Amino acid sequence: MARYENIVILTGAGVSAESGLGTFRDEGGLWAKFDPMKLATPEAFEADPDTVLGFYNARRANLADAKANAAHFALAELEQNWMLDGRANYLLVTQNIDDLHEQAGSAGLLHMHGELLKTRCTRCGHLFSDREDMTRERPCPGCGKAGGLRPHVVWFGEMPLGLDQIYAALDRCDLFVAVGTSGTVYPAAGFVAEARRGGAHTVELTLEPGEISDLFEETHYGPATEVVPHWVRGLG
Ligand code: APR
């Protein structure tokens, strides 16, 4: 197997599914129960902040006892070995807003859709780790004013985070791996095409073929806790 130097991994909700956190578009997924346009847009927050904050408070509470699974640990182990082998670059881009990659020890990690366990003040911009409920009455620990707290999560219609860093990494990578993502939401769904343009080998590790599966040169289907550790062990 070729020796790769620059890897970019993209994860989606499927990598956290076996930790008990729901996905979005599978049977019974989050967007089957809730309307994202009423809960995950700036307009929804403007119109009904209490409902939007309540939705994210519930998801934050649900995260409290979620544990990283074998797929998260396999990716953290891959990172450690990658660096120990003296290979050039490793970047793990996640669309997930949970903290399971951190729990497993991932370091070179970029949350392009933000983080559920961080709160931001829309008045002063103060950004802080937070496991408490967000309410309109709660004062910002930065400016002391109430009424400005929101989850540090990227909503539909907002710019994902870290895109400059991501595209620079995609242009230079020789290995691109997508784990547990349906490939339905851009710009993440376009990363595989970007990696191919740069000549990277492309791998999809997910439960079943999705919208962009035919863009991957190598695909392995099955639960992430089986497919990811197996693939990592087989990597040259
Ligand atoms: N193991 C591996 N993959 C799985 C598993 C599992 N146990 N269970 C589900 N999957 C796969 C599904 O086959 C699907 O391809 O995970 C993917 C989940 O797709 P989505 O629910 O669309 O989640 P994701 O791709 O992360 O959504 C992208 O959409 O709503 C926005 O911001 C949200 O980050 C999210 C983005």
Side-chain angles (χ1 to χ4, degrees), residues 168-219:
L170 288 170
D171 292 347
R172 137 189 94 206
C173 80
D174 50 12
L175 180 58
F176 177 77
V177 191
V179 181
T181 181
S182 62
T184 47
V185 173
Y186 286 80
F191 290 171
V192 57
E194 194 70 27
R196 286 175 66 110
R197 257 193 289 282
H201 176 58
T202 53
V203 182
E204 182 178 48
L205 309 175
T206 191
L207 192 63
E208 61 215 356
E211 310 221 348
I212 54 172
S213 294
D214 54 7
L215 289 176
F216 291 87
E217 289 151 319
E218 181 185 348
T219 55

Side-chain angles (χ1 to χ4, degrees), residues 40-42 113 120 150-151 153-161 186-187:
T41 65
H113 289 165
R120 187 168 85 228
R150 66 164 276 181
V153 166
V154 177
W155 284 327
F156 289 100
E158 294 185 322
M159 274 297 278
L161 307 174
Y186 286 80

Side-chain angles (χ1 to χ4, degrees), residues 9-229:
I9 300 167
L10 171 69
T11 62
V15 81
S16 298
E18 291 160 89
S19 296
L21 295 181
T23 62
F24 294 94
R25 295 169 185 85
D26 289 315
E27 191 72 26
L30 210 60
W31 299 147
K33 297 182 200 123
F34 299 103
D35 177 359
M37 293 307 122
K38 290 205 176 59
L39 291 164
T41 65
E43 295 74 21
F45 180 61
E46 188 68 32
D48 185 356
D50 293 336
T51 300
V52 172
L53 292 177
F55 174 64
Y56 284 94
N57 290 337
R59 291 181 67 189
R60 185 176 275 186
N62 181 42
L63 194 46
D65 43 19
K67 296 272 171 286
N69 65 50
H72 298 104
F73 283 107
L75 294 176
E77 184 194 322
L78 171 59
E79 178 179 23
Q80 279 131 31
N81 296 339
W82 199 267
M83 304 326 269
L84 283 175
D85 288 350
R87 298 188 201 221
N89 292 286
Y90 175 104
L91 178 63
L92 172 51
V93 180
T94 186
Q95 299 171 90
N96 301 339
I97 58 176
D98 62 50
D99 65 335
L100 302 186
H101 284 306
E102 287 88 341
Q103 277 187 32
S106 285
L109 175 61
L110 196 161
H111 282 274
M112 65 178 288
H113 289 165
E115 297 173 66
L116 185 52
L117 295 179
K118 284 193 177 148
T119 297
R120 187 168 85 228
C121 176
T122 56
R123 290 170 179 276
C124 71
H126 183 59
L127 176 63
F128 57 104
S129 292
D130 188 16
R131 288 181 180 272
E132 309 301 318
D133 279 355
M134 296 165 285
T135 64
R136 272 195 289 176
E137 296 72 35
R138 190 176 153 206
C140 163
C143 65
K145 293 197 182 67
L149 298 186
R150 66 164 276 181
H152 181 56
V153 166
V154 177
W155 284 327
F156 289 100
E158 294 185 322
M159 274 297 278
L161 307 174
L163 288 181
D164 291 347
Q165 185 184 344
I166 294 169
Y167 284 112
L170 288 170
D171 292 347
R172 137 189 94 206
C173 80
D174 50 12
L175 180 58
F176 177 77
V177 191
V179 181
T181 181
S182 62
T184 47
V185 173
Y186 286 80
F191 290 171
V192 57
E194 194 70 27
R196 286 175 66 110
R197 257 193 289 282
H201 176 58
T202 53
V203 182
E204 182 178 48
L205 309 175
T206 191
L207 192 63
E208 61 215 356
E211 310 221 348
I212 54 172
S213 294
D214 54 7
L215 289 176
F216 291 87
E217 289 151 319
E218 181 185 348
T219 55
H220 301 276
Y221 298 121
T225 54
E226 290 164 25
V227 169
V228 177

